[in-house]
Amino acid sequence: MAARPPRFVFFVVFCITIGGLLFGYDTGVISGALVVLKDEWNLSSTQQEFIVGGTTLGAIVGGLFSGFFADRWGRKTITFLSSLVFILGALIMAFSKSYSVLIGGRVVVGLAVGAASMVVPIYIGELAPKEFRGRLVTLNVLAITGGQLIAYLLAWALTDVHNGWRWMFGISAFPAAIQLCCLPWLPESPRVLIRRGKEDQAQTILQRIYGKNVSESIVEDELESMRQSMRTENATRYIDLLRATNLKPLIVACVLQLMQQFSGFNTAMYYSATILKMAGFGSTKSATQFSIAIAATNMIMTIVAITIIDRFGRRKLLLISFVGMIVGLILLGIAFIFIVGLVKITKDSCMEYVKCGACTLDDRCGWSPGSLVCTTKGDSAFGDLTDMCESITSRDKAGTWLALASLIFYVALYAVGLGNVPWLVQSEIFAQGIRSKAGSLATATNWVSNFIISVTFLTMTLHITASGTFWLYAGILLIGLVFVFLVVPETKGLKLEDVQKLFAGNQRPYRRQGVADSANKGVAVGEGEGSCSEDDVDVAKAIVGGMSSSAAAAGNSESSSASTGYLANLHKTTVANKTDARRH
């Protein structure tokens, strides 16, 4: 197998992931547009939540029904339709003259976002060679984060421009037009073609995917795996998802998507400028500017994930991601105690708020930086009322920078694991006959939970405090950490047709220290507790190699010999485990 996929694969993935770019742009652009629209249209917290939630509501519908149509019409057709809807939604939002029309445009673009979020990972997963599937599917997440970063950069550049928010929304039509131009050169999924009886076309596409240097036997083996999956897979209805072999992976996919949203990450993206204004960054421009740093962190750490996901595996990255995000959210909650205090934004009088952060969260109130008091907006006694907070004490400044640092740390750990692994796992764990239907349900779960979070975040900060909201998300992530540890298996290195075998029987993922590709090795190696996989040997080699080098540099031959002996014993243990597996 080649060290890298053919150029044709990169071209195909680039064209498909434009859908991910639009997904990221249209969900990220609202962060910068919202702080402008709030002032221009005098929007309440509830109205802001529904502008954010409009796209999510459309995405629920788009994600739920796109699976059915992707099976009937194919992945390529759904990609074409989503591009058209992206353009339509962008134009409606750009030319909207009222709140209701803007909401309508957000819902329309949400239909395309939902369809793209479902079909793009599946489309790439079915076209990608298995050795590169993790990295190639994760490129879609990179496109999403890139779209969010572009959205923040444009929002920063257009914040002070007249009708700048209209340009923010309208610009998203251009990438969609580019995708439309690419579509004539994109192939349909080989699995869809086989289901339609077009095996010759499927074989030609597979040969282009694997490259000219790959033997026909490898391509034929891939085709035969697909044929066998078609013959044995009878689940073609939604009711068949309730079968035990289908229900297990469906639960895994849905819970991972649920956790991705209930982690609160998208509130950090949708409301990042708003959160940073709460945190004491003095103006809309500066808050949006620091939002760019958050989006850049998301994109950079997604690149890191792409480089390591096929080596470290999906499960390990998820566990690391959950632990890091919990720590980040706890620190973010502590930061907001310094800034806002543990204060519910439900006071009868604005004068009862003693901190600017708490004052500006209440739509009725404004802060007087000259008098350092909170009062009702329009109070003629104060001519300097503002809804922006500038840090005025060392305690406030410490809280402000702790909030920014913990938010960046939280986003970085999200991007490494929880931001991309659910989409990758979703594209891998379902059998061919149910992949689109199950994927659409998991995607709808993502967007339903996204909608719940996006329309409740500001309200929760008012009633259980900002700190309480972030700690609630941390508690939810703790539950997710336990679920991943006990239930989610490792899928790296397996053909799509082999992944479903991981859900047969009562295997315990936390006792599996590696996953063997039975198709490549000729035997499925079930590694029980205390056994060692080849991945463990590779990691040990790296560690022991470093120990040996250090010992040699220090002239310590005894340590070097001990390291070599340890590695030899580890290799013997691995060989013995494989021999025992073959006997059984």
Side-chain angles (χ1 to χ4, degrees):
M1 185 59 63
R4 54 181 294 174
R7 292 181 181 178
F8 172 71
V9 174
F10 283 113
F11 168 75
V12 168
V13 171
F14 167 77
C15 295
I16 297 172
T17 54
I18 291 175
L21 179 87
L22 290 165
F23 170 5
Y25 184 88
D26 282 306
T27 54
V29 72
I30 194 61
S31 175
L34 197 60
V35 292
V36 178
L37 283 167
K38 176 187 176 184
D39 296 332
E40 187 172 321
W41 287 6
N42 195 27
L43 300 176
S44 67
S45 293
T46 301
Q47 287 176 314
Q48 293 176 65
E49 287 172 338
F50 275 96
I51 288 178
V52 173
T55 293
T56 309
L57 191 62
I60 293 170
V61 178
L64 187 60
F65 289 100
S66 58
F68 171 80
F69 292 112
D71 275 342
R72 176 164 295 215
W73 298 338
R75 286 45 165 155
K76 184 175 178 179
T77 301
I78 296 301
T79 303
F80 168 75
L81 292 175
S82 67
S83 296
L84 292 178
V85 177
F86 270 123
I87 293 172
L88 176 63
L91 294 177
I92 292 173
M93 291 187 295
F95 293 101
S96 59
K97 298 293 185 182
S98 67
Y99 174 76
S100 58
V101 174
L102 179 60
I103 290 288
R106 293 284 292 168
V107 171
V108 169
V109 84
L111 294 172
V113 167
S117 64
M118 193 290 299
V119 78
V120 169
I122 290 177
Y123 199 177
I124 297 174
E126 291 182 347
L127 286 169
K130 66 180 185 295
E131 291 82 2
F132 306 105
R133 189 175 61 241
R135 278 166 280 181
L136 292 176
V137 173
T138 307
L139 282 175
N140 179 55
V141 183
L142 178 62
I144 294 171
T145 60
Q148 290 170 336
L149 178 59
I150 291 170
Y152 285 144
L153 288 169
L154 287 174
W156 174 77
L158 297 171
T159 294
D160 296 329
V161 175
H162 178 64
N163 282 331
W165 63 268
R166 296 186 185 276
W167 284 102
M168 294 180 203
F169 289 132
I171 284 171
S172 63
F174 292 102
I178 293 172
Q179 188 174 53
L180 283 177
C181 295
C182 290
L183 279 171
W185 288 274
L186 290 187
E188 183 54 89
S189 163
R191 289 164 176 83
V192 172
L193 293 172
I194 290 175
R195 191 169 63 244
R196 294 174 177 175
K198 300 179 180 180
E199 291 197 9
D200 290 342
Q201 292 184 29
Q203 185 171 8
T204 300
I205 292 169
L206 282 174
Q207 191 68 58
R208 295 189 70 185
I209 288 170
Y210 280 95
K212 298 177 181 179
N213 297 327
V214 173
S215 65
E216 292 185 7
S217 62
I218 292 178
V219 174
E220 182 56 38
D221 178 63
E222 194 77 13
L223 279 172
E224 182 55 35
S225 294
M226 296 178 193
R227 293 190 200 103
Q228 186 175 357
S229 177
M230 299 287 181
R231 287 193 295 266
T232 58
E233 184 54 62
N234 297 317
T236 58
R237 301 168 301 168
Y238 279 100
I239 192 68
D240 292 316
L241 292 171
L242 299 178
R243 294 179 183 176
T245 54
N246 297 327
L247 187 59
K248 287 182 181 179
L250 181 63
I251 290 172
V252 167
C254 288
V255 171
L256 288 181
Q257 294 289 11
L258 187 76
M259 286 297 156
Q260 188 183 79
Q261 296 306 320
F262 277 18
S263 70
F265 172 78
N266 276 325
T267 63
M269 301 309 289
Y270 297 155
Y271 297 109
S272 60
T274 303
I275 291 171
L276 290 172
K277 282 182 69 178
M278 292 181 200
F281 290 92
S283 68
T284 297
K285 191 97 173 178
S286 65
T288 303
Q289 189 172 353
F290 280 105
S291 294
I292 295 172
I294 294 170
T297 300
N298 190 21
M299 184 174 179
I300 291 168
M301 294 308 294
T302 300
I303 295 173
V304 172
I306 290 171
T307 63
I308 65 177
I309 195 165
D310 281 324
R311 185 169 75 251
F312 279 72
R314 292 72 159 133
R315 175 180 161 84
K316 186 182 295 184
L317 289 183
L318 270 180
L319 293 172
I320 293 171
S321 180
F322 270 89
V323 172
M325 291 177 71
I326 290 170
V327 172
L329 284 169
I330 291 172
L331 291 176
L332 189 58
I334 292 172
F336 269 79
I337 291 178
F338 289 110
I339 300 163
V340 180
L342 285 173
V343 179
K344 296 181 180 179
I345 313 302
T346 53
K347 302 294 186 183
D348 293 330
S349 169
C350 293
M351 298 293 288
E352 296 181 53
Y353 298 116
V354 296
K355 285 182 173 286
C356 176
C359 175
T360 56
L361 284 175
D362 194 322
D363 292 331
R364 303 168 303 161
C365 307
W367 181 259
S368 170
S371 304
L372 299 181
V373 296
C374 183
T375 187
T376 305
K377 287 180 179 178
D379 190 334
S380 58
F382 300 91
D384 60 346
L385 293 184
T386 179
D387 62 352
M388 300 175 190
C389 297
E390 295 189 15
S391 300
I392 53 175
T393 68
S394 59
R395 180 184 172 92
D396 289 337
K397 289 180 179 178
T400 296
W401 290 107
L402 177 60
L404 180 61
S406 56
L407 192 57
I408 289 176
F409 178 77
Y410 162 79
V411 169
L413 270 295
Y414 171 90
V416 166
L418 191 56
N420 58 75
V421 173
W423 297 110
L424 173 56
V425 169
Q426 178 178 313
S427 73
E428 295 177 320
I429 61 177
F430 298 117
Q432 169 65 25
I434 63 163
R435 189 169 294 140
S436 291
K437 294 181 178 67
S440 67
L441 288 177
T443 300
T445 300
N446 180 291
W447 288 109
V448 168
S449 51
N450 185 314
F451 180 75
I452 292 170
I453 291 294
S454 63
V455 300
T456 58
F457 171 69
L458 290 179
T459 302
M460 285 200 301
T461 62
L462 300 181
H463 291 89
I464 65 171
T465 75
S467 297
T469 301
F470 296 129
W471 290 339
L472 174 62
Y473 294 155
I476 293 171
L477 281 176
L478 183 60
I479 297 172
L481 176 64
V482 174
F483 176 84
V484 170
F485 179 75
L486 295 177
V487 179
V488 179
E490 182 56 74
T491 61
K492 70 171 182 176
L494 295 174
K495 290 190 294 186
L496 292 178
E497 283 69 30
D498 291 331
V499 171
Q500 294 82 45
K501 298 174 185 177
L502 297 175
F503 295 94
N506 295 309
Q507 299 185 50
R508 299 178 182 180
Y510 59 89
R511 287 192 173 183
R512 294 178 60 84
Q513 298 176 354
V515 177
D517 185 348
S518 59
N520 290 341
K521 302 185 185 304
V523 58
V525 181
E527 297 169 330
E529 188 172 23
S531 65
C532 300
S533 70
E534 288 193 344
D535 287 344
D536 297 325
V537 175
D538 290 339
V539 173
K541 283 180 179 178
I543 296 172
V544 174
M547 292 166 54
S548 300
S549 299
S550 299
N556 191 338
S557 59
E558 183 180 348
S559 296
S560 180
S561 300
S563 301
T564 305
Y566 167 75
L567 193 57
N569 288 333
L570 183 63
H571 178 70
K572 289 178 182 178
T573 302
T574 305
V575 172
N577 284 328
K578 286 189 175 183
T579 303
D580 184 63
R582 289 190 181 98
R583 289 173 182 170
H584 290 83

